[in-house]
Amino acid sequence: MKKFKRTLVTSALPYANGPLHIGHLAGAYIPADIFVRYLRLKKENVLFIGGSDEHGVPITLRAKKEGDTPKKIIDRYHYQMKETFKQMGISYDFYGRTSSETHHKLASDFFRQLYDNGKFIQKTNEQCYDEEAKMFLADRYIMGECPQCHCENAYGDQCEKCGTSLSPTELINPKSTISGCKPIMKKTTHWYLPLDEYEDWLKKWILEDHKEWRPNVYGQCKSWLDTGLHPRAVSRDLDWGIPLPIEGTEGKVLYVWFDAPIGYISNTKELCDTRPEKGDWETWWKDKDTRLVHFIGKDNIVFHCIVFPAMLKAHGNFILPDNVPGNEFLNLEDDKISTSRNWAVWVHEYLEDFPGKQDVLRYVLTANAPETKDNNFTWRDFQARNNNELVAIYGNFVNRALVLTQKYFNGTVPAKGELTEYDNSTLNDFADIKYKIERFLDDFKFREAQKEVLNLARIGNKYLADTEPWKLAKTDMDRVGTILNISLQIVANLAVAFEPFLPFSSEKLKKIILLKSYDWEMLGSTNLLPVGHKLNKPELLFDKIEDESIEFQIKKLLSNKESNSCKEENEIKTAPIRSNIDFADFEKLDIRIGTVLECQKVPKTDKLLQFTIDDGLNNRTILSGIAEYYSPEHLIGKQVCFIANLSSKKIRGIESRGMILSALNADNTLSLITVEKPVKPGSEVK
RNA sequence: CGCGGAGUGGAGCAGUGGCGGCUCGUUAGGCUCAUAACCUAAAGGUCGGGGGUUCGAAUCCCUCCUCCGCAACCA
């Protein structure tokens, strides 16, 4: 492995349009913080950079919806997130924001250099334009009637009612959400980064030179590279973001994914410019002896492994990431975390509900980190890990050693006598553990590393149980002194070893045992606390978490979910009645009743059922997207209502002749329309 | 045959060619310094199924099945 002189650690820039939840912490922030704290303890030269990602369409949409300016939105969430990180002990050297002046300038310059060196290609095509507001419209800014479900409020990229993905041109009666007028098509020019030109280089760099990357990261990259890369737009028509630094391009900004990763660089610069002792930002980003590590969640793999490196390569002067430890996702109580459904544990709420328990959350999210696959957070597991591991193993051992010392030696570290073979083998055990922890941390295996640290406490508990100093106290105080001395050394070692993982507890423990300062190299030492050293009064490191507070949290989650779905039902207005039609129009529709003869799921689809319907004449095949609500075997023999003269359409290679009618409920579930009493197949509906 | 990840004791997970392992839970015993915490022991697994390579397979190859995410699909 290459030796580096310094390490630059970044963690994904969280998007400033909502608060942080535990999935964010588990994915990128806690692992990054553990890694950084570990390197700092080793006295390595390390910089930890983060910041808020504050551009892009969703923020402007949110601002519009709330009647605020984008600036107000990003201010609110930037400061909230910054504070949450601080409270959780995420020890950034600098937490910046992409709306800063430094960033605007640096991102512009970055773009300009690529532009001047001909690294972009320029393309002109037609996009929706709002003549009244005089601006191009992103897909999300266009609403209209969905061509599928005829819901009135479909967006230009997707109808949220039926889930169909759309393009703005498909909408019926499209309207700009800004002015309400009908958008026209107008030509616009954008710049693209031709990723395909970097394909061969990326293949070598990742697939050959970085086989050590995590399988999930490597696999994702391989999949992209094998499929083939395409040019990606780097500009957008929008008034929120960094203006394109090209003459005559008013109303265009850098596309958010282009500007955001440059934020790592500009935040470094901003820190170094104000704090020269941190070094020169260009050394951090351009010197070959700097190791760059990005901590991210799996949704960001492509940007950090393919797009951003291609940008850096195109620029020419920057170093590339040495590793990109991407985590999978964390589920909550067996369900995907979702901001819109309010299915999340918000970190700022956790901090209120569990004051002083930052380390418990840090511990649980690390013990159960989604390093190799999606994992699940449950409040029961949270409680069990606190009570059975932090309290019972770590906290309890520390307390035992301190209470015994208080009792027999009045809180003073006793002298060590001659060591037995057992004493020595215990000491050897924890020297081994230091080596193991290092190996895991160097390999980004934080879950394993933390487990090994807890094993130190297990060794301590076992040592006390085996040597039984409380029995010896009646006969051999010298021996008791030796045992407690060793136990106290283990306690001090725990404070050091847990520091990257549980910084608050280590701080507390440090105060109890009056350990002045420490570094990683002291780990494994048996002389951290000198003989005669006076200790403070014992204090519990962790408290039990009772059932009530867990039940409270579970209830809170469930009621969030419930109130959310109630809200939805109330908020959804009954669709307005469409414009009148003539009787002649109605007569064109041929609606019939048919009997379901056969029904089966269309393979490899989630929603499609294939029906064979007896329509009184010939049997016909109809496809319907109701598989989520009905199982095929229950439908056989039922009589359903269908449109018989709708032009046929091939879906998934199957010819569908007609449309089975269902009612769309407010909660987006479908309910089949059937007859009140059986009728002859083929009966007309009038 | 869309892409990727995953299937290992009751639960959560390690283990990528050499006697199936860890944490929690369960049961029994010990201890009583400690937050009913700690220590020891036991029970519990045809390592998703089948086939193959090998002296030897959880691990490599083939094949099938299942789950998750993305994509597709919703007449």
Side-chain angles (χ1 to χ4, degrees), chain A residues 330 363-370 375-378 381 385 447:
Chain A
L330 188 69
Y363 179 82
V364 173
L365 292 179
T366 301
N368 199 20
N375 269 348
N376 196 22
F377 177 95
T378 66
D381 179 65
R385 287 195 186 273
R447 192 171 51 190

